Every structure is written in structure tokens, then in C-alpha cells.
């Protein structure tokens, strides 16, 4: 095999709780992760030299050793003494710095691709252990599907598939620093923590309305206060027929879940012509086949 084409899927958080801040500065979380149908495309090709070259459709995306795909390929080459070069074409569609793990998913997909391209016969567990060296979200992006994420995001428990629905994704024209959000998060007796266990029980019953009624993201307290447009997008989602709406990760992307495709399509076109969303996508849930 000289070349391989792969899809790197985005994720949303169906619930995000921050349990505590650890002494090392990291935050312990309990999150329900879900992959969606929105994806980047990666093509990995073996070359006759020893360099890693990344080409992308976004001019502002770094393609040097600060890029997570570059880091993933370097990690595999170093661990398994691979000297042959790799050329990567990365077609980005997942919004950048948007709380959808686009960079982590690209890195996870690069690890999976390198495993296939060089016949390393690594298991999914092997790849997830390697991925943790690149970032807390990378192991999940290798696992994909519906999962409970704990610790700093590295402790993963697979869950049954979330009830089928359409997903409308809206990213406003702002960027949010994850570091800023976590540094300004205040956890005290007044913090309203989402009922993660209740959402899991609803997923077990295949109960969409039960799950969305318990939706919550503790990071919204910071991001919404700084960027009120996030609250406006959520409110508009619900007005347009979403059964539930939430900010994903540290934001600023907001998603709405719809149980009626006609309402979802109408809402998609409404957001496309509004000033609320710079990037708007209508997709569905994604469940992995490998």
C-alpha cells in the first residue's frame, strides 16, 4: 500500500462537567462524547525521501512540526523506526479552534493511517495509548462513537449509540481560547453541574427527549458570559425546532439536535442567511465501523 484516504470525524459533547481542578493544574472532567458526520479528509502517501510534508486547504494552518498531524506521524516513525517519508493532503472542513476536536481527530486519523500504510498491525488500544502522548482528546478520536470520558479525558467507557437524530452545527465568527475558559472557570457550591449519569441512563433507554432535557455544559458559564452570541444561537436553535441545544467543548460552536429532518433543514437555511453563524453544517450522528 502506497497511499490511503481516510475521514477524520468531528465530535460534540452531549454533556460536559468539570469535577475539580487538580494540583497539577489539569481539570478532571466527566463528558459524554459523540462523533458526528462532519469530517476532514486525510490522504497519506509514502514518498521516496525521509521528510514529512503536509499540504492543506487552509492557508493559516501551520504545516510544520507544530501541526498535530505532523506530530502523530513523527511519533509513529520514531516508535517504529520508520525512515520513509510521508506526504499528507489535509482537506479541512471541521471548524478550527471550535470545541469539535478537529485537530485531535486529524492526529488520531494520521495514527490509524500510518498503522495501515506501514503494516504495523497495532490494535486500537495500542493506537489510543500512543494518541494520549499527543493530547487528551486523541484516544477518544481513535475510539469514536458514543462514550463517557473521565479523568483529564483519557479514561473512556464506550456507551450504547445515542438515539438517532439530525445535528445542526453553527460556529459564530469568533475564536475562543480553551486555556482562557478553563482559567476563568469558577467551581464552588453554586456551580450547576449537569446530570451526566442521568444522560447515560437516557441513552441506555434510547430516550432522546430524556437525554436532551438533562443537557448541560459547565464551561458555558464562562464562554457565554464573554460571548453572548452563544446564548443567542442556542435560543434560536430551540425556536427553530431543536429538541436540545448545547455549546460543544469550550466553544464557540453550538449544536442543535433535531428529530424532524424538515425542521432541521429549515433551521439550516435560516442560520445560513443570519448573522449568527459564520460556518453552518447539517449532519447526523456517526458510529464507527472499525
Amino acid at each position: 500500500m502506497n497511499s490511503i484516504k481516510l475521514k477524520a470525524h468531528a465530535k460534540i459533547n452531549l454533556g460536559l462537567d468539570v469535577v475539580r481542578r487538580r494540583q497539577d493544574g489539569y481539570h478532571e472532567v466527566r463528558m459524554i462524547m459523540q462523533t458526528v458526520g462532519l469530517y476532514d479528509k486525510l490522504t497519506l502517501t509514502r514518498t521516496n525521501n525521509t521528510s514529512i510534508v503536509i499540504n492543506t486547504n487552509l492557508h493559516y494552518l501551520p504545516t510544520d512540526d507544530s501541526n498535530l498531524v505532523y506530530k502523530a506521524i513523527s511519533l509513529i516513525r520514531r516508535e517504529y523506526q520508520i525512515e520513509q517519508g510521508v506526504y499528507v493532503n489535509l482537506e479541512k472542513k471541521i471548524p478550527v479552534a471550535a470545541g469539535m476536536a478537529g485537530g485531535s481527530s486529524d492526529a488520531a486519523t494520521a495514527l490509524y493511517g500510518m498503522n495501515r500504510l506501514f503494516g504495523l498491525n497495532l490494535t486500537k488500544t495500542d493506537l489510543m495509548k500512543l494518541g494520549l502522548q499527543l493530547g487528551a482528546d486523541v484516544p477518544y478520536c481513535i475510539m469514536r462513537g458514543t462514550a463517557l470520558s473521565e479523568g483529564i479525558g483519557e479514561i473512556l467507557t464506550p456507551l450504547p449509540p445515542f438515539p438517532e437524530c439530525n445535528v445542526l452545527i453553527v460556529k459564530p465568527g469568533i475564536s475562543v481560547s480553551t486555556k482562557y475558559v478553563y482559567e476563568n472557570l469558577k467551581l464552588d457550591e453554586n456551580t450547576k453541574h449537569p446530570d451526566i449519569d442521568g444522560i447515560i441512563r437516557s441513552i441506555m433507554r434510547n430516550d432522546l427527549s430524556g437525554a436532551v432535557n438533562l443537557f448541560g455544559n459547565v464551561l458555558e458559564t464562562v464562554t457565554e458570559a464573554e460571548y453572548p452570541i452563544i446564548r443567542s444561537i442556542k435560543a434560536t436553535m430551540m425556536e427553530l425546532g431543536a429538541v436540545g441545544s448545547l455549546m460543544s467543548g469550550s466553544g464557540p460552536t453550538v449544536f442543535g439536535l433535531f428529530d424532524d429532518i424538515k425542521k432541521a433543514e429549515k433551521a439550516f437555511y435560516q442560520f445560513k442567511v443570519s448573522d449568527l453563524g459564520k460556518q453552518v453544517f447539517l449532519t447526523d450522528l456517526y458510529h464507527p465501523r472499525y
Side-chain angles (χ1 to χ4, degrees), residues 90-105:
L90 172 59
E91 188 181 327
K92 288 291 295 177
K93 196 172 183 184
I94 302 170
V96 176
M100 301 193 76
S104 295
S105 187

Side-chain angles (χ1 to χ4, degrees), residues 51-113:
S51 57
I52 300 169
V53 177
I54 299 175
N55 177 60
T56 177
N57 59 320
L58 298 183
H59 66 86
Y60 53 83
L61 203 69
T63 55
D64 58 11
D65 59 8
S66 66
N67 184 296
L68 271 174
V69 170
Y70 193 109
K71 289 181 179 180
I73 294 170
S74 293
L75 177 61
I76 287 272
R77 292 210 318 170
R78 188 168 63 249
E79 291 283 329
Y80 297 94
Q81 292 81 51
I82 296 168
E83 293 184 4
Q84 192 168 7
V86 180
Y87 174 81
V88 182
N89 188 65
L90 172 59
E91 188 181 327
K92 288 291 295 177
K93 196 172 183 184
I94 302 170
V96 176
M100 301 193 76
S104 295
S105 187
D106 293 341
T109 304
L111 291 177
Y112 177 80

Side-chain angles (χ1 to χ4, degrees), residues 213-282:
N213 287 339
L214 296 173
F215 269 2
N217 179 346
V218 82
L219 299 182
E220 285 181 343
T221 56
V222 180
T223 316
E224 277 189 3
E226 187 73 13
Y227 304 102
I229 192 171
I230 290 167
R231 193 178 296 114
S232 301
I233 294 171
K234 284 172 61 186
T236 305
M237 284 276 194
M238 299 304 289
E239 287 166 15
L240 293 173
V243 293
S245 182
L246 198 65
M247 182 182 81
S248 187
S250 55
T253 301
V254 174
F255 67 88
L257 301 186
F258 290 77
D259 59 4
D260 182 326
I261 185 61
K262 287 193 169 63
K263 286 181 181 176
E265 287 172 344
K266 186 177 179 184
F268 169 78
Y269 290 116
Q270 291 278 92
F271 274 107
K272 287 287 275 186
V273 298
S274 78
D275 296 327
L276 291 173
K278 186 176 183 183
Q279 292 172 278
V280 185
F281 305 94
L282 180 57

Side-chain angles (χ1 to χ4, degrees), residues 135-183:
D137 276 348
V138 178
Y140 166 73
C141 291
I142 292 166
M143 175 190 277
R144 307 195 290 187
T146 314
L148 172 66
S149 169
E150 297 175 286
I152 60 167
E154 86 287 11
I155 304 169
L156 297 166
T157 307
L159 297 172
F162 192 79
E164 282 304 320
C165 55
N166 300 108
V167 186
L168 181 58
I169 295 162
V170 177
K171 181 186 182 284
I174 54 174
S175 291
V176 173
S177 161
T178 300
K179 187 169 181 277
Y180 170 85
V181 173
Y182 274 100
E183 282 178 352

